[in-house]
Amino acid sequence: MLQLDKLALRRAILKQRQSLSTEEWHTKSNLIGDRLKDLSVFKEAKTVLAYFSFKQEADLTPLFAFDKNWGFPRCVDKSLIWHLWQPGQNLNVGKYGIREPQENAPMIRPQSADLILVPTVACDRQGYRLGYGGGFYDRLLSSIQGSNMTTIGIVYDFAFLQQLPVDPWDQKLDSICTESQYEQIVL
Ligand code: ADP
Ligand code: MG
């Protein structure tokens, strides 16, 4: 039942997200990017894990010009493998159609990052996240428990919901950033 709820919610939100005009997508992306770049946790971070926008996820490209060690994932089987990437370096298209660094790019241990910007389909007020259904970030976040990394879910206001259906394996985020707010989740 819960799975069905997640599936229906995922479909509805993805439909809404993909109906954004290009202009709305850019405007919302820039609002989120501007909010992120002013956060002390961003300013202080040396190594940041991020993502390349897919299916009108907030496009954070302007941030990647900041002087950080930027890590981006490749989907390999059921895991995310993280590599250093800088603007201008070549990318491949992975099996889900998501852009990813090349296999021979230097790798990053995700545990060594200070901050991760987590793509989401939706988030809720408790910090739970809805993804595409692969569980990639649940596995990643459970594997980095105990590290000092700050986790920020990136989500549009319309997909920042009161309460998502939650399964036992779902991992919480520390904070959420939308176009209009940055919210730290109180444990
Ligand atoms: P998403 O988080 O992408 O929205 P779900 O929460 O529905 O997707 O999870 C998708 C799948 O990932 C589930 O079938 C679950 O069994 C698997 N999964 C999640 N976390 C883990 C984990 N730590 N180890 C193994 N499998 C996991
Ligand atoms: Mg999940």
Side-chain angles (χ1 to χ4, degrees):
M1 186 60 194
L2 274 181
Q3 281 305 103
L4 196 67
D5 285 348
K6 276 191 175 180
L7 198 65
L9 206 53
R10 202 176 268 130
R11 282 194 184 143
I13 293 168
L14 285 174
K15 195 170 162 194
Q16 191 173 355
R17 193 167 86 185
Q18 294 207 251
S19 73
L20 292 174
S21 68
T22 305
E23 193 187 340
E24 286 171 312
W25 172 43
H26 287 158
T27 303
K28 289 177 189 297
S29 295
N30 291 337
L31 285 168
I32 292 174
D34 285 345
R35 189 171 301 285
L36 287 169
K37 78 176 172 26
D38 289 338
L39 297 175
S40 55
V41 69
F42 179 78
K43 290 181 190 163
E44 288 160 16
K46 291 190 170 64
T47 301
V48 184
L49 305 181
Y51 64 89
F52 293 114
S53 169
F54 176 64
K55 292 191 174 173
Q56 304 223 102
E57 282 166 346
D59 181 356
L60 303 180
T61 303
L63 293 181
F64 307 156
F66 282 79
D67 185 23
K68 312 272 184 201
N69 297 318
W70 286 98
F72 293 85
R74 276 193 312 125
C75 288
V76 179
D77 300 323
K78 298 207 162 214
S79 301
L80 298 174
I81 309 290
W82 296 84
H83 295 267
L84 279 171
W85 181 85
Q86 290 179 349
Q89 292 180 340
N90 286 338
L91 294 169
N92 289 333
V93 175
K95 67 171 173 178
Y96 297 101
I98 303 174
R99 287 170 294 159
E100 51 182 48
Q102 297 193 320
E103 223 176 309
N104 60 2
M107 286 172 63
I108 300 191
R109 280 177 62 246
Q111 293 85 342
S112 71
D114 305 301
L115 173 64
I116 180 168
L117 307 175
V118 181
T120 73
V121 173
C123 291
D124 76 10
R125 302 268 161 194
Q126 289 69 49
Y128 285 111
R129 164 186 183 274
L130 185 69
Y132 291 106
F136 283 94
Y137 282 88
D138 288 323
R139 282 188 293 274
L140 173 74
L141 296 176
S142 77
S143 76
I144 60 164
Q145 268 175 2
S147 84
N148 283 327
M149 190 186 321
T150 300
T151 58
I152 306 182
I154 308 301
V155 72
Y156 295 122
D157 285 311
F158 68 77
F160 188 20
L161 308 176
Q162 202 53 245
Q163 195 162 16
L164 284 171
V166 171
D167 289 305
W169 56 78
D170 284 317
Q171 301 293 313
K172 279 191 181 193
L173 301 160
D174 299 328
S175 48
I176 308 291
C177 186
T178 76
E179 306 93 295
S180 72
Q181 59 179 315
Y182 176 67
E183 184 159 314
Q184 284 177 281
I185 306 298
V186 181
L187 295 178

